[in-house]
Amino acid sequence: MLRQAALRAVVLAALALVLLAALAAAAPAQTVRPATSTTTTTHTDPNAAVPVPDLTKPPTGRRLTGTQVQKIAEHNPVYIEEHAKYRGSYPNVYTKGPGRWQVSLWSAGKKPKELAQLYVDDQTGAVTEAWTGFQVAWTMARGYAGAFGRKVNAPWVWIPLTLLFVAPFLDVRRPLRMLNLDVLVLAAFGVSVAFFNDAQVGISVPIVYPLLVYLLGRALWIGLRRDRPRPALRLNVPVRVLAIALVFLVGFRVTLNVLDSNVIDVGYAGVIGADRIADGKKLYGTFPKDNEHGDTYGPVNYVAYVPFEQALPWSGRWDDLPAAHAASVAFDLACLVLLFLLGRRARGPDFGIVLAYAWAAFPFTLYAMDCNVNDALVGALVMCAMLAAAAPLRRGVFIGLAGMAKFAPLALGPLYITQTRRALRFAVGMAIVLALCFAFMLAYGDPRTFVERTLGFQTSRGSPFSIWGLRDWTGAQAVVQIAGVLLAVAVAFLPRRRDLVGLGALTAAVLIALQLGITHWFYLYIVWFYGPLMVALLGVHGSSTWSMESARNGFEQRMTTPFSQGSSADVSNRTDIWVRSDSIA
């Protein structure tokens, strides 16, 4: 027992040091917990459906009896239609939180299926909700107001953010510019969200796929073409205006997160896992009933939450979860800072400010932040790998960390191992992370349970939030999945643009291609590829100012020298990427 505890401590310390050193971010100070042993308890969901044992008497605090509620439901058109469709179907009556009843219609047979679900108000006797199909099992498909991010979905937040996002880049005098279409396609994901919030999943899901396919095509077009001088990026406002707006946007985003955001099951899972790690408990296969499948992520995800959970300890129930809020804000700010650093390296400080602004103004980055999820962590680790593109060992560490947070970034391995020479160093860096994660599995569980709870669950789950789950197109999905894997391998060998712009483009392309084939897709996944994609879409304008191969020879330092300090030859050979708004013709 003592030996196992020591193994856990060593593995956790090593993995945490690798993650924290990689992110180079200061963690909140830990609070000291009492030395006495404590037991974590999970409270029962007050809105859980509870069977009614006696339908003839009103339960305590209720006006109606179960029999009366059942008769009310049986006169509802939704119930009548479903009952007529399925011979032998029968109802069950439950209490559903204070003042509410639930009537479920079940199919006959050895394995009954819930066909319809109706809610009845105890005071008025009215049917307040009636659901059929996948909306019975998937409450997230019912369009409940504020279920994802709360106020970020309000028109007074979403629409102004969208306008702020497109305004600097949209050139109305040149409507055929590709960048105009790029930013409009990114903004168009908001149309899908509007239908999703209105519980019209049959419309919201198909809208997503043409947009993803377009972005995949644009990313491949940029990444697989040789670099050549292009027209300078023309902004509608000076960069200093974007810098000022960036400060206000960051303040607004953090304030909204603190005052009016919610933690969905993804962020809750991170806090639970961090608590179990800190307490030395088994991680996989032991999550509480109110988040039973929260153990579906890689170990890096839960380790990343440890400092936040230690500073803001979990209460043992699904409350406001301040640790999840703190982690989400930290992951989001890390992405913003990394985009600035990538922009500064690719084009100089002005480009860094523009990329940071593009992150802060894009509604979907705020959407992920205010759902308080872990997806920005994936985006941050992928951008760390881009920033370390000239250092194979660190590049391998970051791809390993991203892949062991959520598994999709592992597909970036072929692209990143061939980005520069010294592939062995990349492999060593990635192997270090994978070895530590394997040791973590041994210390906090066993490999079989890990595989079953993570990859096993994710590959077997159904979902109505992709066209594959919505339409059950299994054959077509397999083709798309195979194509995504082949693309991830092919980009390692195809001739390609080898600067940060090209790397960002192909990074985004691989991640988008994988997302096109998964069964469960959601808007939160956009932040995985959004940062690298913006480096490509905006960075393609102007001439290249940095190459990873030449970085080792000091070229990077020379090219980031301010114009005023460079020679006239340097200045004449570089294309300035920024053009003031008053010079747009």
Side-chain angles (χ1 to χ4, degrees):
M1 192 71 179
L2 183 61
R3 185 176 300 175
Q4 187 180 22
L7 175 62
R8 288 178 175 176
V10 171
V11 171
L12 177 59
L15 193 56
L17 283 174
V18 170
L19 176 60
L20 295 177
L23 291 176
Q30 290 191 5
T31 57
V32 180
R33 292 189 175 185
T36 57
S37 61
T38 58
T39 301
T40 299
T41 59
T42 302
H43 294 225
T44 303
D45 182 3
N47 292 312
V50 179
V52 179
D54 187 350
L55 299 182
T56 62
K57 297 178 181 179
T60 304
R62 306 272 168 165
R63 184 180 68 86
L64 300 174
T65 66
T67 302
Q68 290 173 319
V69 170
Q70 181 175 320
K71 288 182 178 180
I72 291 171
E74 288 173 347
H75 286 84
N76 183 270
V78 172
Y79 182 99
I80 294 171
E81 182 179 352
E82 291 299 305
H83 186 58
K85 270 198 243 178
Y86 298 92
R87 179 179 295 180
S89 57
Y90 60 91
N92 276 338
V93 180
Y94 312 84
T95 57
K96 182 72 172 174
R100 189 167 62 161
W101 296 79
Q102 175 181 314
V103 178
S104 295
L105 180 66
W106 296 87
S107 64
K110 293 182 179 179
K111 294 183 179 180
K113 178 183 178 182
E114 194 172 10
L115 305 172
Q117 195 175 100
L118 296 87
Y119 294 159
V120 177
D121 182 75
D122 185 67
Q123 290 299 315
T124 64
V127 176
T128 57
E129 299 178 36
W131 305 102
T132 61
F134 59 80
Q135 288 172 312
V136 172
W138 290 87
T139 57
M140 64 183 288
R142 297 179 182 181
Y144 291 138
F148 292 88
R150 291 187 182 167
K151 285 298 182 187
V152 67
N153 297 278
W156 63 267
V157 175
W158 196 282
I159 293 175
L161 269 181
T162 302
L163 294 176
L164 286 172
F165 170 67
V166 302
F169 311 113
L170 203 61
D171 190 348
V172 295
R173 300 184 183 184
R174 296 177 177 83
L176 298 182
R177 288 183 68 204
M178 289 303 298
L179 185 58
N180 286 349
L181 185 56
D182 295 339
V183 296
L184 289 176
V185 166
L186 285 166
F189 281 100
V191 177
S192 177
V193 170
F195 283 105
F196 170 78
N197 288 339
D198 196 37
Q200 299 188 55
V201 177
I203 300 176
S204 67
V205 169
I207 289 175
V208 166
Y209 285 82
L211 306 179
L212 288 176
V213 169
Y214 170 83
L215 294 177
L216 173 62
R218 278 290 284 150
L220 290 175
W221 179 259
I222 294 171
L224 296 179
R225 302 187 75 203
R226 290 184 178 181
D227 178 30
R228 57 185 177 84
R230 295 174 184 269
L233 177 64
R234 296 175 178 265
L235 298 175
N236 292 326
V237 293
V239 176
R240 63 179 178 272
V241 174
L242 297 185
I244 296 171
L246 175 61
V247 174
F248 284 97
L249 280 171
V250 170
F252 169 74
R253 289 161 64 93
V254 174
T255 301
L256 190 63
N257 180 278
V258 173
L259 297 181
D260 202 337
S261 70
N262 66 322
V263 182
I264 66 171
D265 57 345
V266 179
Y268 182 28
V271 175
I272 296 172
D275 178 77
R276 301 194 69 78
I277 291 172
D279 291 344
K281 297 179 180 178
K282 186 178 178 181
L283 180 59
Y284 293 98
T286 63
F287 267 46
K289 288 294 184 181
D290 62 350
N291 200 350
E292 186 176 0
H293 293 289
D295 56 349
T296 188
Y297 308 115
V300 170
N301 172 71
Y302 304 108
V303 172
Y305 276 84
V306 169
F308 303 102
E309 195 278 331
Q310 290 288 283
L312 301 165
W314 179 41
S315 67
R317 58 192 178 89
W318 197 339
D319 54 14
D320 192 48
L321 298 168
H325 285 263
S328 180
V329 171
F331 300 155
D332 181 84
L333 293 177
C335 288
L336 190 147
V337 171
L338 286 164
L339 268 178
F340 170 79
L341 295 175
L342 284 169
R344 186 181 67 174
R345 177 163 292 183
R347 290 284 187 268
D350 282 359
F351 189 36
I353 291 172
V354 171
L355 285 178
Y357 173 87
W359 179 273
F362 191 49
F364 285 93
T365 60
L366 180 58
Y367 189 79
M369 180 180 174
D370 281 3
C371 288
N372 292 286
V373 292
N374 56 22
D375 295 280
L377 172 64
V378 178
L381 290 170
V382 169
M383 285 189 281
C384 281
M386 288 182 61
L387 198 60
L393 181 67
R394 283 184 287 139
R395 196 167 72 231
V397 168
F398 286 123
I399 292 298
L401 289 171
M404 295 311 293
K406 287 192 170 181
F407 302 105
L410 290 174
L412 295 172
L415 172 64
Y416 277 74
I417 199 172
T418 58
Q419 188 61 29
T420 60
R421 293 187 294 270
R422 298 184 175 88
L424 180 60
R425 293 187 181 182
F426 175 93
V428 169
M430 194 167 178
I432 289 172
V433 174
L434 296 180
L436 284 172
C437 289
F438 182 75
F440 180 97
M441 283 183 266
L442 295 178
Y444 286 88
D446 61 89
R448 180 178 179 179
T449 302
F450 170 80
V451 172
E452 289 176 351
R453 302 299 297 180
T454 57
L455 296 175
F457 170 71
Q458 294 191 34
T459 55
S460 62
R461 69 189 301 195
S463 171
F465 303 108
S466 70
I467 54 174
W468 320 117
L470 192 65
R471 306 297 183 196
D472 195 23
W473 293 340
T474 307
Q477 182 183 14
V479 172
V480 173
Q481 290 174 335
I482 293 171
V485 173
L486 292 177
L487 174 65
V489 175
V491 293
F493 303 101
L494 293 173
R496 63 184 190 263
R497 179 172 178 159
R498 289 187 175 270
D499 61 355
L500 275 179
V501 172
L503 182 61
L506 294 181
T507 297
V510 170
L511 293 175
I512 293 171
L514 292 178
Q515 291 188 19
L516 280 169
I518 60 178
T519 300
H520 181 72
W521 186 91
F522 200 59
Y523 306 103
L524 303 170
Y525 301 167
I526 293 173
V527 300
W528 297 6
F529 62 78
Y530 176 70
L533 181 67
M534 291 307 290
V535 172
L537 295 180
L538 299 180
V540 72
H541 296 273
S543 61
S544 180
T545 61
W546 184 79
S547 71
M548 287 164 289
E549 287 290 345
S550 60
R552 290 189 296 271
N553 300 322
F555 183 75
E556 177 190 358
Q557 181 179 358
R558 179 171 66 84
M559 296 308 290
T560 55
T561 302
F563 288 150
S564 59
Q565 299 177 19
S567 65
S568 59
D570 287 339
V571 175
S572 62
N573 289 331
R574 289 181 61 182
T575 302
D576 188 5
I577 194 169
W578 308 116
V579 179
R580 291 179 180 274
S581 58
D582 57 5
S583 66
I584 295 178

